[in-house]
């Protein structure tokens, strides 16, 4: 199978989905496909940025992928769409917490959490195309509002701890307490980093009194701020630990470049579920690389020289391919499939020469 990155992802996605969903919704279900199987297919769709019809075609083309998901047949695209509509946001949140539990393992040290938001488009139409239409129409054209995706991330492991999506209009200050409470269920929080958008005395007090963590949020530049903690941030801001907040921007960049920058859907509820599934797919992607690195990446050292495992034939070709350990980009981003144009020709040359 040419798409070497899909099989490990599909297996891990099915394992995570099995932990958070029962096999069938009711005893009157058709028992043709299980709920974990359909959830794993939805995660694959976000991983590869497929549409519902494309997912049906790809599953029909690749028997190995169907075997990894234990699918007795190919689900119709309408089956996937109906399952997405009845999928609850709490189910996706439980899946995210399961990935956090697996990624953290036995770690008990408090994490440094960063919170921020970014925008997701509802279509694949570029902004350049919109500008060209406005130029030809000699005026602005109506656009659908984009989606705001808020996440809490561990800046050390660069994984998502909590997420929320909403329509773009509005302020995010009130979203901070709820997101941090959800994130604290999966990992103890020692420090919270946020930009001035989340600046308020109530947020500082919630972080320090409720969570027992340190809060670093710059005060808005509107004179001397009110509040003891905000005044302290204004007069003596800790710049050095605050630099770690930039890593959450790296997470946004990796998600949008390697997975998707869209939350497709005609209704707001569908767009929100697509955004939450995007975050779940990112954590499964990180979990898949960790499993592949532990299970398949081994090397031999001969005469003090680092030797390629693939060149020496130490392990089977299938294990080497499925680990996706074919280049440095396999661990920094998603190895894209062959039916899509590669994003960088130089980064994908000479993959067989990769040594570990």
């Amino acid at each position: 199978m040419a798409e070497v990155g899909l099989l490990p992802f599909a297996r891990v996605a099915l394992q995570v989905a099995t932990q958070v969903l029962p096999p069938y919704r009711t005893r009157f279900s058709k028992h043709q496909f299980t709920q974990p199987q359909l959830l794993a297919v939805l995660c694959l769709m976000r991983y590869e940025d497929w549409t519902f019809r494309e997912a049906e075609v790809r599953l029909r083309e690749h028997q190995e992928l169907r075997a990894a998901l234990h699918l007795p047949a190919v689900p119709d695209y309408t089956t996937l769409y109906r399952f997405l509509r009845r999928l609850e946001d709490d189910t996706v949140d439980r899946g995210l917490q399961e990935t956090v539990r697996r990624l953290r393992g036995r770690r008990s040290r408090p994490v440094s959490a960063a919170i921020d938001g970014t925008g997701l488009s509802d279509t694949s139409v570029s902004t350049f195309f919109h500008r060209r239409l406005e130029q030809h129409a000699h005026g602005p054209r109506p656009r659908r509002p984009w989606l705001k995706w808020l996440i809490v991330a561990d800046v050390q492991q660069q994984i998502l701890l909590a997420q929320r999506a909403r329509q773009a209009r509005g302020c995010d200050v009130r979203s901070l307490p709820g997101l941090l409470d959800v994130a604290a269920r999966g990992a103890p929080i020692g420090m919270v980093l946020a930009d001035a958008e989340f600046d308020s005395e109530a947020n500082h007090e919630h972080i320090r009194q409720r969570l027992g963590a340190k809060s670093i949020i710059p005060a808005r530049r509107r004179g001397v701020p009110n509040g003891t903690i905000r005044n302290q941030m204004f007069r003596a801001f800790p710049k050095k630990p605050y630099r770690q907040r930039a890593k959450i921007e790296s997470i946004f960049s990796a998600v949008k470049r390697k997975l998707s920058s869209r939350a497709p859907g005609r209704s707001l509820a569908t767009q929100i579920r697509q955004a939450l599934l995007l975050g779940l797919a990112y954590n499964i992607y990180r979990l898949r690389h960790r499993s592949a690195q532990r299970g398949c990446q081994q090397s031999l050292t001969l005469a003090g020289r680092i030797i390629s495992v693939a060149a020496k034939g130490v392990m089977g070709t299938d294990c080497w391919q499925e680990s996706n350990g074919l280049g440095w980009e396999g661990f920094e981003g998603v190895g894209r499939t062959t039916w899509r144009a590669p994003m960088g020709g130089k980064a994908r040359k000479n993959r067989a020469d990769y040594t570990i």
Side-chain angles (χ1 to χ4, degrees):
M1 182 175 181
E3 298 80 11
V4 295
L6 292 184
L7 291 181
F9 184 92
R11 296 191 186 103
V12 175
L14 185 60
Q15 293 172 6
V16 172
T18 304
Q19 295 294 324
V20 300
L21 275 176
Y24 303 102
R25 191 181 182 189
T26 65
R27 62 189 182 94
F28 301 105
S29 300
K30 298 175 70 173
H31 289 209
Q32 185 177 8
F33 306 107
T34 65
Q35 292 190 110
Q37 289 173 339
L38 296 177
L39 180 57
V41 174
L42 291 181
C43 292
L44 270 174
M45 289 174 55
R46 302 306 289 140
Y47 177 70
E48 286 293 323
D49 202 13
W50 289 338
T51 62
F52 291 101
R53 294 179 184 269
E54 285 177 344
E56 180 184 357
V57 171
R58 302 310 176 192
L59 289 173
R60 183 177 292 110
E61 287 177 349
H62 302 298
Q63 181 180 358
E64 297 91 341
L65 191 56
R66 296 197 304 270
L69 294 172
H70 307 294
L71 289 173
V74 178
D76 190 74
Y77 70 94
T78 57
T79 303
L80 299 174
Y81 175 71
R82 293 192 186 101
F83 179 75
L84 176 66
R85 290 191 60 182
R86 66 172 180 263
L87 183 66
E88 298 179 354
D89 297 344
D90 293 339
T91 303
V92 184
D93 291 339
R94 292 199 306 270
L96 191 73
Q97 294 300 320
E98 176 65 19
T99 58
V100 172
R101 184 187 67 82
R102 294 180 176 225
L103 283 165
R104 283 186 55 81
R106 298 181 179 179
R107 293 183 178 91
S108 58
R109 181 180 301 177
V111 302
S112 297
I115 179 172
D116 203 356
T118 187
L120 297 176
S121 174
D122 62 327
T123 74
S124 58
V125 179
S126 65
T127 55
F128 173 77
F129 181 75
H130 278 293
R131 288 196 299 267
R132 293 289 293 175
L133 287 179
E134 292 176 355
Q135 290 175 4
H136 286 284
H138 302 287
R141 294 174 58 88
R143 297 188 190 181
R144 298 176 63 180
W146 45 276
L147 199 72
K148 187 68 173 292
W149 184 39
L150 300 171
I151 66 170
V152 178
D154 179 4
V155 295
Q156 276 81 27
Q157 284 190 279
Q158 296 194 14
I159 59 175
L160 270 60
L161 302 177
Q163 59 177 343
R164 181 177 296 175
R166 62 167 181 81
Q167 209 164 11
R169 299 184 182 92
C171 184
D172 296 329
V173 175
R174 299 180 180 179
S175 304
L176 184 141
L179 277 170
L180 291 180
D181 290 343
V182 174
R185 300 174 191 169
I189 298 178
M191 182 170 58
V192 177
L193 309 171
D195 56 14
E197 182 182 9
F198 300 91
D199 174 40
S200 73
E201 190 72 15
N203 286 344
H204 282 288
E205 293 177 353
H206 180 86
I207 295 170
R208 302 194 177 198
Q209 298 175 8
R210 180 75 178 272
L211 302 178
K214 183 179 180 181
S215 60
I216 303 179
I217 305 175
R220 294 191 181 98
R221 297 295 182 179
R222 296 176 182 175
V224 179
N226 298 325
T228 304
I229 306 177
R230 294 185 67 218
N231 192 285
Q232 178 186 356
M233 290 289 143
F234 178 76
R235 297 185 181 278
F237 185 72
K239 295 182 179 180
K240 186 173 182 180
Y242 185 73
R243 295 170 186 168
Q244 296 293 317
R245 195 204 68 86
K247 292 184 179 179
I248 197 172
E249 306 294 345
S250 300
I251 295 177
F252 286 140
S253 176
V255 170
K256 290 187 176 183
R257 288 184 296 107
K258 304 298 185 179
L259 298 185
S260 176
S261 61
R262 302 185 303 124
R266 295 187 176 182
S267 65
L268 179 62
T270 303
Q271 295 175 14
I272 289 175
R273 292 191 189 99
Q274 293 276 25
L276 298 181
L277 285 171
L278 183 63
L280 177 59
Y282 173 77
N283 267 18
I284 293 176
Y285 152 69
R286 300 284 297 187
L287 184 61
R288 159 220 151 187
H289 277 307
R290 182 189 177 198
S291 302
Q293 186 177 11
R294 182 178 61 249
C296 288
Q297 283 200 356
Q298 300 176 1
S299 62
L300 289 181
T301 304
L302 181 61
R305 298 181 61 184
I306 300 176
I307 303 171
S308 170
V309 177
K312 288 295 177 184
V314 175
M315 62 184 63
T317 306
D318 295 337
C319 182
W320 174 260
Q321 287 184 344
E322 290 180 10
S323 71
N324 204 20
L326 302 175
W328 60 268
E329 72 278 5
F331 299 101
E332 297 295 333
V334 177
R336 309 311 294 173
T337 53
T338 55
W339 60 74
R340 309 177 67 183
M343 292 189 299
K346 278 181 122 183
R348 303 192 177 280
K349 290 177 66 178
N350 301 328
R351 284 186 168 186
D353 296 336
Y354 174 66
T355 59
I356 56 176

